[in-house]
Amino acid sequence: AQSVTQLDSHVSVSEGTPVLLRCNYSSSYSPSLFWYVQHPNKGLQLLLKYTSAATLVKGINGFEAEFKKSETSFHLTKPSAHMSDAAEYFCVVSPTNAGGTSYGKLTFGQGTILTVHP
Amino acid sequence: GAVVSQHPSRVICKSGTSVKIECRSLDFQATTMFWYRQFPKQSLMLMATSNEGSKATYEQGVEKDKFLINHASLTLSTLTVTSAHPEDSSFYICSATSGGTYEQYFGPGTRLTVT
């Protein structure tokens, strides 16, 4: 079984300040973890993914996330927010096969809406 | 690479009619496609998983006779909402996996409004 909890439904930051979106997961096996971004009425865009390699993962648009097994966390960060970062962000977990590749069902967190103020 | 399209992007239909949504993998062969539903201000919920040439596997609580899924080729899956009702209004998103990595690539979504 697997589950994901995004600890904040809304996060509001000022442009140029750091972003922290929190995610905790639960999984009975080695997980693959993802962060996706969704702009209004659009599909999902993959920001970054962890699939059992380096625990600090760098993604697109300056985002990164660190897999912390002891804390069962995969928080998303960015040093400096941009207005275009305003969107909804989803933390996602899936199983990982023996080869270290994600497979099977994706389980989505509830989403965090990021607002960026000028 | 790994582009998934959906058609139509938006559709409005009358209650009681059926509507078909297409999901296509444009530059890879999708052995498995997934259909998700997203209610306003909520997360994505998996509806069903379809493998090319076989019957779809539906998640608990999803009516297979209402949401007909066909995956007749390695590049096309369709979701037909039969006898649509206003409560079926939602954002429907498909994803597809290319066999090697099993990573899911998402389509842009289809906004269905039933009046």
Side-chain angles (χ1 to χ4, degrees):
Chain A
Q2 56 189 20
S3 66
V4 177
T5 301
Q6 291 182 240
L7 299 169
D8 306 291
S9 58
H10 289 82
V11 169
S12 181
V13 301
S14 297
E15 191 175 20
T17 64
V19 175
L20 170 63
L21 305 183
R22 298 183 294 166
C23 172
N24 284 102
Y25 70 92
S26 172
S27 178
S28 52
Y29 31 66
S30 294
S32 290
L33 291 156
F34 308 79
W35 276 99
Y36 285 89
V37 60
Q38 184 181 33
H39 289 91
N41 294 311
K42 301 290 185 184
L44 298 173
Q45 180 182 21
L46 179 66
L47 284 177
L48 49 80
K49 64 180 178 181
Y50 164 79
T51 56
S52 79
T55 57
L56 181 61
V57 182
K58 293 186 183 298
I60 61 171
N61 301 336
F63 285 95
E64 63 180 39
E66 185 171 7
F67 173 70
K68 292 187 176 181
K69 185 176 181 179
S70 61
E71 299 176 9
T72 60
S73 70
F74 190 59
H75 301 333
L76 181 70
T77 61
K78 182 173 180 177
S80 177
H82 192 272
M83 295 296 290
S84 61
D85 294 328
E88 187 161 18
Y89 292 79
F90 292 97
C91 182
V92 180
V93 64
S94 80
T96 304
N97 64 18
T101 302
S102 164
Y103 78 101
K105 288 184 190 177
L106 299 184
T107 300
F108 284 76
Q110 301 90 330
T112 299
I113 296 174
L114 175 65
T115 303
V116 182
H117 298 288
Chain B
V3 178
V4 176
S5 70
Q6 281 185 242
H7 178 80
S9 57
R10 306 178 74 94
V11 59
I12 300 172
C13 70
K14 292 187 176 181
S15 187
T17 62
S18 295
V19 61
K20 180 185 287 187
I21 302 170
E22 292 186 348
C23 176
R24 292 181 184 273
S25 57
L26 299 184
D27 51 3
F28 66 98
Q29 293 186 324
T31 52
T32 304
M33 288 184 166
F34 303 83
W35 286 95
Y36 296 85
R37 183 173 182 176
Q38 186 180 29
F39 289 105
K41 302 187 186 301
Q42 294 190 30
S43 189
L44 277 74
M45 299 298 294
L46 179 66
M47 298 175 66
T49 302
S50 74
N51 293 296
E52 185 265 339
S54 60
K55 290 184 177 181
T57 302
Y58 290 81
E59 295 299 299
Q60 192 172 9
V62 177
E63 299 176 59
K64 62 181 181 180
D65 294 330
K66 181 170 185 61
F67 298 99
L68 300 178
I69 292 172
N70 183 279
H71 191 168
S73 78
L74 284 171
T75 59
L76 174 65
S77 176
T78 60
L79 167 67
T80 301
V81 183
T82 62
S83 187
H85 290 282
E87 56 265 32
D88 299 325
S89 299
S90 191
F91 196 50
Y92 292 88
I93 301 176
C94 73
S95 70
T97 61
S98 61
T101 66
Y102 299 100
E103 180 173 333
Q104 291 189 31
Y105 302 97
F106 286 83
T110 297
R111 172 75 58 194
L112 170 63
T113 302
V114 184
T115 60

